[in-house]
Amino acid sequence: MKQYTITHIRQLEAESIFIMRETAAQFEKPVLMFSGGKDSIVMVHLAMKAFHPAKIPFPLLHVDTGHNFEETIEYRDQLVQKTGAELIVGSVQKSIDEGRAIEETGLNASRNALQTITLLDSLETHKFDAALGGARRDEEKARAKERFFSHRNEFGEWDPKNQRPELWNIFNGSKNHGEHFRVFPISNWTEMDIWQYIRMENIEMPSLYFTHRRKVIERNGTLLALTDFIQPQAGEKVQELDVRFRTIGDATCTGAVLSKASDMDDIIGEVAAARQTERGTRADDKRSESAMEDRKKAGYF
């Protein structure tokens, strides 16, 4: 890896660690949101560095849709055991059972949007006043509007037109009772930065990110993996292809990509040549032009 690349990555790392330490200093009860994807894995790694030799001083919160890939849950549990971090799981299924959320029906039904209710309930139940997330500004246009410290009102809502200025690395975490902040330490990273950092730090990753043989169907231009909750409909052909996932989320809306990337160098090469962002494979973002922003305004990640 070229020297200027290493320097660039280390600058991003230092910035993220600084923001994590600022979060621990300014807030009484932060939590780190963990999805099992590459960005949240890097966030855990950065948190371990930020507070070494102590353990991560805040718990991990996983909002479980009940429609996760098995590999994601296995990796999550192994990481928690390895790091000794406290894990809190918010269950979307529980939200549905309690009548807090209404499950979608139909061909393109997904629980992805229902995560908002479970997340807000989890933050309220545990009285968290800051939630650290692994969102990056290069992912999607709504993400690009975020500050490092993103204020949420007492209902968990986000107002993109009412963001606080962040000058000279000065962050304002002042809030009223009942409000909280979302904090995004890796906002300035790109997908390429993430993978180069993973290679540099030799971070173990879920097998889903590497090419493997899997049965998939094509639905609305997205390759969806066959699971207990994704089954072929009339006219849909089951294919067994060499695929991997650029992003990991709810299996009902997370698309695979055709790939031959069997190691980290191959993935970095694919990312460099890609002309579509990783969220371009997410069916939930294709529902409307403002799908992500609408969800974020309501309290989504």
Side-chain angles (χ1 to χ4, degrees):
M1 188 178 296
K2 295 181 179 178
Q3 184 60 43
Y4 74 84
T5 303
I6 295 175
T7 301
H8 167 69
I9 298 296
R10 290 304 180 200
Q11 286 175 339
L12 290 172
E13 177 190 60
E15 178 182 62
S16 299
I17 286 174
F18 172 74
I19 293 166
M20 286 188 170
R21 289 172 177 168
E22 276 291 299
T23 303
Q26 291 197 39
F27 298 97
E28 293 183 6
K29 200 172 181 183
V31 66
L32 194 158
M33 294 188 289
F34 184 79
S35 67
K38 63 184 181 305
D39 299 317
S40 61
I41 292 169
V42 166
M43 286 277 289
V44 172
H45 185 82
L46 289 166
M48 292 175 64
K49 279 197 161 190
F51 303 102
H52 180 80
K55 290 185 178 180
I56 301 174
F58 30 76
L60 310 184
L61 171 60
H62 179 215
V63 178
D64 183 2
T65 66
H67 290 170
N68 290 287
F69 292 101
E70 291 181 5
E71 295 93 332
T72 302
I73 301 302
E74 290 174 3
Y75 182 94
R76 180 200 70 185
D77 294 343
Q78 291 170 3
L79 181 67
V80 168
Q81 184 176 17
K82 178 181 177 181
T83 61
E86 177 188 355
L87 174 67
I88 297 171
V89 178
S91 169
V92 171
Q93 183 62 58
K94 182 181 178 183
S95 298
I96 295 170
D97 293 342
E98 294 177 348
R100 295 281 296 149
I102 300 175
E103 184 145 31
E104 294 182 357
T105 58
L107 179 62
N108 297 311
S110 172
R111 290 184 174 181
N112 196 55
L114 304 187
Q115 293 179 87
T116 299
I117 296 167
T118 307
L119 169 61
L120 293 176
D121 285 349
S122 298
L123 296 178
E124 175 63 25
T125 298
H126 297 279
K127 306 302 179 186
F128 293 125
D129 57 355
L132 295 117
R136 308 186 325 267
R137 293 188 181 120
D138 76 317
E139 288 181 88
E140 203 271 346
K141 55 191 177 184
R143 299 279 201 210
K145 297 180 181 180
E146 287 282 18
R147 300 288 196 268
F148 285 112
F149 276 29
S150 182
H151 176 263
R152 295 297 196 271
N153 66 18
E154 64 271 27
F155 301 108
E157 297 168 330
W158 173 64
D159 181 0
K161 296 181 179 179
N162 188 25
Q163 294 271 318
R164 299 177 180 181
E166 292 179 341
L167 307 173
W168 306 292
N169 290 330
I170 298 175
F171 304 107
N172 182 359
S174 299
K175 58 180 176 56
N176 295 317
H177 180 72
E179 299 175 344
H180 73 275
F181 274 79
R182 305 290 169 83
V183 181
F184 302 108
I186 61 171
S187 287
N188 284 338
W189 297 53
T190 65
E191 184 185 10
M192 177 64 81
D193 294 330
I194 291 291
W195 282 113
Q196 289 181 332
Y197 185 71
I198 289 168
R199 179 175 64 177
M200 185 185 299
E201 295 289 296
N202 195 29
I203 302 173
E204 184 179 353
M205 299 300 290
S207 59
L208 289 167
Y209 280 115
F210 301 93
T211 293
H212 56 285
R213 199 79 173 170
R214 184 180 287 267
K215 290 182 179 179
V216 298
I217 57 172
E218 183 174 350
R219 182 175 294 170
N220 298 325
T222 299
L223 292 177
L224 296 175
L226 253 62
T227 61
D228 291 340
F229 28 86
I230 290 289
Q231 292 296 313
Q233 302 297 311
E236 292 180 335
K237 179 183 177 182
V238 177
Q239 305 176 73
E240 193 165 322
L241 302 172
D242 290 328
V243 299
R244 72 177 190 89
F245 295 87
R246 289 177 67 187
T247 178
I248 296 176
D250 189 303
T252 61
C253 57
T254 303
V257 293
L258 297 174
S259 174
K260 297 294 184 182
S262 58
D263 59 31
M264 206 65 68
D265 289 336
D266 289 342
I267 289 176
I268 290 173
E270 277 193 2
V271 172
R275 292 297 175 264
Q276 183 184 49
T277 69
E278 70 235 68
R279 290 199 68 93
T281 63
R282 293 291 294 264
D284 50 323
D285 287 352
K286 296 178 181 179
R287 292 192 172 192
S288 73
E289 282 293 318
S290 60
M292 171 64 81
E293 183 158 335
D294 293 339
R295 294 200 305 274
K296 283 175 64 63
K297 286 179 180 178
Y300 187 76
F301 310 131

